[in-house]
Structure formats: structure tokens, C-alpha cells
Amino acid sequence: MPQTNSFPYIQPTQNLRLSDLNDDILGLVCVHLTGKHALAVALVSKHLHHFAINRVVAVSVISDLVTLHTFHDYVLNTVHPRAQHIESLEVSYMALYQEEDILELESYRDTEDEVVPYSVEAVQLLINILQSASNLRALIL
């Protein structure tokens, strides 16, 4: 009994390309992309860019103050703010301190003494991002 092809419109010897998929399928595939993978797909063509570029910031990790500044500028300081596409955001405590305060913070780790305050600037940047992240589902601090 011969096997039947479940996709009769695609010949088994034919190479399938992303451009052969319809837009609904491309959208469903791109929903599962994040970060570097989404950016790589977005850079392939203008057509794929439309589906993948918003997934670049969907899952983001901010590890230090420099990254917080860069991320803030990337998601908010554009004609079409990208913060609405953030779904999961992880912010390290190191991102909320000035660089010169980090060494001081390390010295207080094992004591109950005075606590080094967060950088007001860093907290304000984070607040700005969170206020615009309307699709945020997970926040890890």
C-alpha cells in the first residue's frame, strides 16, 4: 500500500522555504522566537521582519545599570515604542545600583548594618519601562 503525503501541494523532492509558508503560519512560528533568534529571523527579509522584530524584547534580562540604560532607550525612545512587546522581564539587583555603590554593597552582604540605597535614576528608568509594558506577564527582581 503506497504512503499518502499529508501535504499534497508540496512535492517530497521540493525544498520548502520560509517564504513558501502563509502569513498565519509565519506568525505562529515567530511567536516562539525571542531575543537573538527573533532578531536573526527579522533580518532575513522585510517580510519576515514584520513577524519577528517585536519578539526581540519579548523575554529580556537586565543585568547591570548600563544594560538598563540601553534597554530603556531601545524600548521607549522610538517613534513606535517597543515596551508593549515585553512579556517577561528579569532585572538583577545589580542593575539598580550605581557602579561605585556595588563594591560598598558587597561589603554589607554579611551584616545587618546600613543598606546602600538604590540609584534613584535606575529605579526611575525601570518604572518608565514597567509603565509602558502593557503585555508584561512575568517580572523577576
Side-chain angles (χ1 to χ4, degrees):
M1 176 177 206
Q3 284 187 326
T4 58
N5 188 350
S6 60
F7 299 104
Y9 53 88
I10 300 174
Q11 299 301 319
T13 59
Q14 188 179 21
N15 290 331
L16 181 63
R17 298 174 301 177
L18 281 176
S19 60
D20 295 334
L21 299 173
N22 70 33
D23 289 352
D24 292 333
I25 300 299
L26 287 173
L28 290 172
V29 168
C30 289
V31 163
H32 298 284
L33 299 174
T34 58
K36 294 177 184 176
H37 300 288
L39 183 59
V41 170
L43 295 174
V44 169
S45 72
K46 286 182 180 180
H47 186 68
L48 290 174
H49 183 274
H50 169 74
F51 295 100
I53 195 62
N54 293 334
R55 301 296 305 160
V56 173
V57 297
V59 177
S60 301
V61 177
I62 300 172
S63 58
D64 56 40
L65 188 56
V66 173
T67 306
L68 179 60
H69 275 280
T70 304
F71 187 74
H72 179 271
D73 290 345
Y74 180 75
V75 298
L76 293 178
N77 294 340
T78 62
V79 176
H80 303 289
R82 299 174 178 106
Q84 66 186 359
H85 303 292
I86 302 170
E87 295 174 8
S88 174
L89 182 62
E90 180 177 341
V91 182
S92 166
Y93 74 94
M94 302 292 275
L96 301 176
Y97 291 99
Q98 296 290 345
E99 190 171 324
E100 58 272 7
D101 292 335
I102 292 173
L103 291 175
E104 189 177 347
L105 179 67
E106 293 296 322
S107 68
Y108 289 122
R109 177 173 280 175
D110 297 326
T111 67
E112 295 290 328
D113 294 340
E114 180 180 334
V115 176
V116 179
Y118 292 127
S119 161
V120 173
E121 176 191 17
V123 171
Q124 188 58 54
L125 291 174
L126 183 57
I127 289 170
N128 292 345
I129 293 168
L130 293 175
Q131 285 176 333
S132 299
S134 56
N135 291 312
L136 186 66
R137 289 188 239 146
L139 176 62
I140 301 169
L141 296 174

